Amino acid sequence: MNLNRKNFLINFQSLFFFILIIIYGITTKNVMGGSGIFSIDSILKYGILFICISVEGYMFLKTGNQKREISENYNNFKYYFIIITFLSFFSSFQQLHFSFRTVQSFIFIFIPMLYSYLILNNWTFRQINFSMKIALFLSVIEYLFSIKIGFSQIISSLVSINYNNTNSSPLESSTFALLSLGFVAYFGYYKKNYLCKIVSLLFVIMTFKRVITLGGCILVILGILKIKNLRVNRFFLIVSTITLVSFSFIYYYSIQPQNILEISEKIGFSIRDFSTNRTDRLAWLSMTDFKSYGLGSTTDFMYKLWGVDLEMDIVQLILEVGAFGVIVFIYFYLRFSKSNLYAFSFMALLLLNSILSSGMMSTFSWIIILIAMSTIMEYKEGM
């Protein structure tokens, strides 16, 4: 009897994937922060991830199973990397200053793309779907352990949610927020998996991040509509890029130290409070002699002085690679998802979150996000 590994929902590849999810959940320190990439936690996480990618890479080379549409979507990212690499190293050369943080930033962005690309080419839809279900419940369990509160406190916190102060809730989690959005986007798209749809929506609400929670709710609603499978045309892609780029620079202008109070008065609410005080970090940076020396340089500079980063991805890119770098970033990420309106909306919401907050360097969250997005574009109705 001929046994094909693709007939099994669980194989050694999916087992490594589950181990990766478990390790991520129990090592929740921020690798961009004080623990660093060479901490025990980080070595464990990235060691397991290296094994996962090596196994998938071996299977990919062995089978040669390259799916055309997936390959075309991921192939577009090469132009993004070429341009951002040039801009980054040009800034580094100008300042005669190079930081390992630049290499680290590129690795954090590239790894999820590589791993998700290999999974989409190696796994069947049934294997991906089953693994996403297991990963969801593993993540929820790890999240519940991480917040360290009882069931009654969870219910009380959900009832008393106050989005004017997202730091006030014991449910708030930067570690699991983007991860939960990846799950709700995936299960919100497909008509079946109602239990997973409900669990993932509750998961994203519980992590208590405003833009991410709003994004999750929007995607669940869009998943019901027939228009979700429409292909995005070039005109809509360009208009969306211009809109997000414009909002990026409007927001950047608004949070400048010399502008923030005046603009807050005009619009009737505090931008500083809305940003949960992230705008203070830009003010701190503006009082120094900082000049960009490439991608990741603001993080490198600020951690050496204050032990924090900007936590606003697009603002960080404006400072590090300039206006052209931001346009390239937004355009190529949107272009990746243009074959499906649902996936495109998902990506636009992620980019909106990147203007107001951070997450683009969240390697493990982006693995789930890109698996979800790529599966949706490849298997539009499931199989």
Side-chain angles (χ1 to χ4, degrees), residues 95 130 142 167 202 259 332:
Q95 301 302 319
F130 178 79
E142 289 177 312
N167 293 324
L202 285 173
N259 300 328
F332 280 104

Side-chain angles (χ1 to χ4, degrees), residues 290-308:
F290 171 78
K291 290 183 179 178
S292 172
Y293 46 93
L295 189 67
S297 57
T298 58
T299 301
D300 182 65
F301 185 86
M302 293 181 72
Y303 265 115
K304 288 175 181 176
L305 288 178
W306 304 299
V308 298

